[in-house]
Amino acid sequence: MSRTRTALLAALALVAGTAGAAVAAIPPDVGAAAVPCTVEYKVQNQWDTGFTTAVTVTNNSAAKSSWAVKWSYAGNQKVTSGWNAKFSQSGTAVTAANESYNGALGTGSSVSFGFNGTYSGTNALPTTFTLDGVTCNVDDGGTDPTDPTDPGTGSRVDNPYAGAKVYVNPEWKAKATAETGGSRIANQPTGVWLDRIAAINGVNGGMGLRAHLDAALAQKGSDQLVVQLVIYNLPGRDCAALASNGELGPTEIDKYKTQYIDPIAAILADTKYAGLRIVTTVEIDSLPNLVTNVSPRATATANCDTMKANGNYQKGVGYALNKLGDVPNVYNYIDAGHHGWLGWDDNFAPSAALFKEAASAEGATVADVHGFIVNTANYSATKEDHFTINDSVNGTSVRLSKWIDWNRYVDEQSYAQAMRAQLVSIGFPSGIGMLIDTSRNGWGGTARPTAAGPTTTVDTYIDGGRYDRRIHLGNWCNQSGAGLGERPQAAPATGIDAYVWMKPPGESDGSSTAIPNDEGKGFDRMCDPTYTGNPRNNNNMSGSLANAPLSGHWFSAQFQELMKNAYPAL
């Protein structure tokens, strides 16, 4: 089901509710204070046999220390799981009672909860609700259901970036501002990386998740605002790249669930933050490794074989999607690699199938996925203007060039749009949107081509015209010559929800030499500028900058190079 259709269902929920007897019994000239309670019931997502609903109850009567909301279904709907309330059901009658932490409901105060359910046939909407036995009307909360940028508190919109500001991380802003010339981009929104358990509460006195959300509320004011979080701490994380290894071992899935995802979900579910649009980019890099870096491929690693065998990547991603997706104002986007990783025929469809497998694990469903993100922390060009995959030179397809090497895609936008179509074709909602990380893929400066290359051979044609100036598509660490890319913006192309800077420019991909640390981060030779490569980059030089610090640490020289080579130029 498309998210446009989801918005329509929300509107229908309001229409059905306002047709109920409780509303009809209230004279039209009676003020809101005379209404004992209001209930907003919104179906956010619906698929063939299930649905997700958010409910907001406002108490206009005397303050309560506990509460129970009841309604009945006309069909065979069943509540299967819920959050922020205790659910019970007898036949068609449903009761949602307070949890221990949200029983207090003052006069004029509201409480929100939600649930997943199943049905067959039609999902008829309830028309009458009671709060502690008193019949409520259904109130639209001042929301215009025809306006996709005005969802009301706690409900999802088609594109969270549309009509919204995006959170500027004060910590990144301070580092950028301290750099010569950095004030030119210091107000750009970037992702907040939760790359270990300690990051939830803040590392070494830095801002934790609540501090970021509180700062986001201050930036929000009366506007809509998106907060971008990177969920990045899978057990055995990123099995093919030592620089981004994490703190959890391959078998520590329970620790991942209880000490990492559960605390994050609890914070995001705090009603204090219900007015924020929270975008989560779920587990960068790890899933694609189970397609490209496992036996019997030449690029296989023992760590990736272990993770494929134990299934903890799929379990971890599924658990994260399930728990975070239960929060009504969270938008989950799964990492989908980039065209230079998954764009080949033997990687593309298997990767999409693996994403669906993960999105169906540990209680998650495809309805928990709002979209996908590509090129996270990578360097692939957003759009190559001087050639297409359909070009040929002297009768030879450009797919035969050394750079493209039989890939189906030449840039991230074409890859993202094609991957979106593939995902929808295998069962993901037709309304899913894509994000493209453009933080470091501008490739400007004096080396940026202004026209196609010479048509002497397919290699001269492609190499002379490509914006992406890396030695090889497989190079990923602190790339020399890279520049800031397109500035963050909403809905830049069909199927693309936004260009984003999910990777904060200036944060290292990994250290150039081995550096002892307590962050679980290893040394990867792909970050060593003297390294001559491996099968994953066709044994080419790494193209990395020298003197880089640990991944995630500030790398001033890289930041300066990114600004120098920015496109559009600063």
Side-chain angles (χ1 to χ4, degrees):
M1 172 172 295
S2 74
R3 287 173 288 150
T4 301
R5 174 65 175 156
T6 301
L8 178 59
L9 285 171
L12 290 175
L14 299 177
V15 173
T18 54
V23 174
I26 301 171
D29 59 345
V30 174
V35 181
C37 48
T38 61
V39 174
E40 180 181 279
Y41 179 102
K42 288 190 175 183
V43 176
Q44 297 176 307
N45 292 292
Q46 182 170 307
W47 54 101
D48 291 342
T49 60
F51 62 102
T52 300
T53 296
V55 181
T56 298
V57 183
T58 301
N59 173 37
N60 293 320
S61 300
K64 301 173 181 292
S65 59
S66 63
W67 50 265
V69 178
K70 296 183 179 181
W71 67 89
S72 293
Y73 287 115
N76 61 356
Q77 295 96 325
K78 298 289 184 185
V79 174
T80 56
S81 64
W83 51 96
N84 291 340
K86 298 175 181 176
F87 290 86
S88 59
Q89 184 168 358
S90 177
T92 60
V94 178
T95 299
N98 65 276
E99 294 279 11
S100 59
Y101 55 81
N102 63 357
L105 189 58
T107 304
S109 297
S110 300
V111 65
S112 297
F113 56 87
F115 62 90
N116 295 318
T118 61
Y119 76 103
S120 61
T122 59
N123 184 18
L125 301 162
T127 58
T128 302
F129 300 83
T130 64
L131 174 62
D132 296 338
V134 177
T135 302
C136 306
N137 75 309
V138 177
D139 173 50
D140 71 357
T143 298
D144 177 2
T146 66
D147 181 359
T149 68
D150 181 21
T153 298
S155 61
R156 297 185 182 96
V157 294
D158 179 62
N159 180 356
Y161 291 87
K165 300 186 298 186
V166 187
Y167 174 62
V168 177
N169 181 346
E171 294 183 314
W172 180 81
K173 179 178 180 178
K175 293 175 183 176
T177 302
E179 292 280 346
T180 302
S183 60
R184 293 174 294 174
I185 63 165
N187 284 316
Q188 292 294 343
T190 55
V192 174
W193 287 59
L194 302 175
D195 62 352
R196 45 189 148 154
I197 293 169
I200 299 171
N201 293 319
V203 178
N204 296 327
M207 296 172 70
L209 178 54
R210 281 194 179 276
H212 281 295
L213 296 176
D214 289 340
L217 288 175
Q219 291 183 22
K220 177 182 184 298
S222 60
D223 300 317
Q224 297 291 344
L225 185 134
V226 172
V227 179
Q228 302 175 124
L229 305 178
V230 179
I231 307 301
Y232 187 50
N233 199 29
L234 275 177
R237 184 178 74 193
D238 208 356
C239 55
L242 298 175
S244 48
N245 285 169
E247 64 186 351
L248 301 180
T251 63
E252 293 187 286
I253 185 66
D254 291 336
K255 188 173 182 180
Y256 174 81
K257 293 177 179 179
T258 60
Q259 296 186 35
Y260 181 66
I261 294 298
D262 287 353
I264 292 173
I267 292 171
L268 300 187
D270 189 331
T271 55
K272 177 181 181 180
Y273 307 121
L276 298 171
R277 299 178 183 179
I278 301 172
V279 165
T280 59
T281 52
V282 178
E283 293 301 350
I284 310 307
D285 288 345
S286 290
L287 283 175
N289 280 310
L290 299 189
V291 174
T292 64
N293 296 318
V294 293
S295 297
R297 297 201 182 194
T299 54
T301 72
N303 290 338
C304 290
D305 282 342
T306 295
M307 298 316 300
K308 182 177 181 179
N310 68 26
N312 282 342
Y313 281 178
Q314 296 96 315
K315 293 173 186 175
V317 169
Y319 189 84
L321 293 172
N322 183 18
K323 292 297 182 179
L324 301 176
D326 283 348
V327 183
N329 56 312
V330 165
Y331 300 77
N332 287 323
Y333 289 79
I334 300 176
D335 181 71
H338 55 86
H339 91 277
W341 189 354
L342 303 181
W344 284 271
D345 292 341
D346 53 353
N347 298 342
F348 189 78
S351 295
L354 180 65
F355 300 152
K356 187 176 182 184
E357 179 185 339
S360 305
E362 299 292 311
T365 72
V366 293
D368 290 312
V369 180
H370 204 78
F372 290 77
I373 182 169
V374 302
N375 204 45
T376 311
N378 208 269
Y379 299 87
S380 297
T382 301
K383 191 174 186 303
E384 293 282 8
D385 294 324
H386 302 316
F387 55 88
T388 75
I389 200 65
N390 298 314
D391 292 353
S392 61
V393 177
N394 302 322
T396 302
S397 168
V398 295
R399 292 188 70 199
L400 286 168
S401 67
K402 293 178 180 178
W403 175 255
I404 297 176
D405 191 25
W406 288 101
N407 202 312
R408 288 281 180 189
Y409 306 97
V410 300
D411 53 37
E412 288 307 293
Q413 193 149 292
S414 62
Y415 166 74
Q417 291 166 330
M419 178 58 79
R420 179 185 177 279
Q422 177 68 20
L423 292 161
V424 171
S425 76
I426 63 172
F428 280 93
S430 60
I432 58 172
M434 309 297 286
L435 305 178
I436 302 176
D437 188 348
T438 60
S439 58
R440 304 182 301 178
N441 70 348
W443 295 103
T446 57
R448 184 178 178 86
T450 58
T455 55
T456 310
T457 66
V458 290
D459 287 322
T460 59
Y461 177 68
I462 294 299
D463 288 341
R466 60 182 168 96
Y467 295 141
D468 188 339
R469 307 311 298 171
R470 284 178 293 175
I471 299 170
H472 188 270
L473 274 170
N475 290 353
W476 54 266
C477 192
N478 301 323
Q479 291 299 285
S480 176
L484 302 169
E486 293 283 350
R487 312 307 182 253
Q489 59 179 294
T494 302
I496 310 300
D497 279 353
Y499 294 154
V500 298
W501 282 10
M502 202 60 66
K503 174 70 173 181
E507 292 189 1
S508 172
D509 295 318
S511 58
S512 302
T513 57
I515 299 176
N517 66 91
D518 59 359
E519 300 175 27
K521 296 171 181 175
F523 168 55
D524 196 303
R525 289 296 306 279
M526 287 297 289
C527 301
D528 176 357
T530 68
Y531 185 47
T532 55
N534 57 49
R536 289 190 289 281
N537 79 334
N538 204 24
N539 296 299
N540 282 283
M541 297 297 291
S542 68
S544 298
L545 294 169
N547 303 314
L550 290 172
S551 61
H553 290 225
W554 192 254
F555 189 7
S556 177
Q558 183 195 50
F559 186 80
Q560 290 295 330
E561 183 152 343
L562 291 172
M563 289 195 297
K564 180 182 71 174
N565 297 322
Y567 192 89
L570 297 178

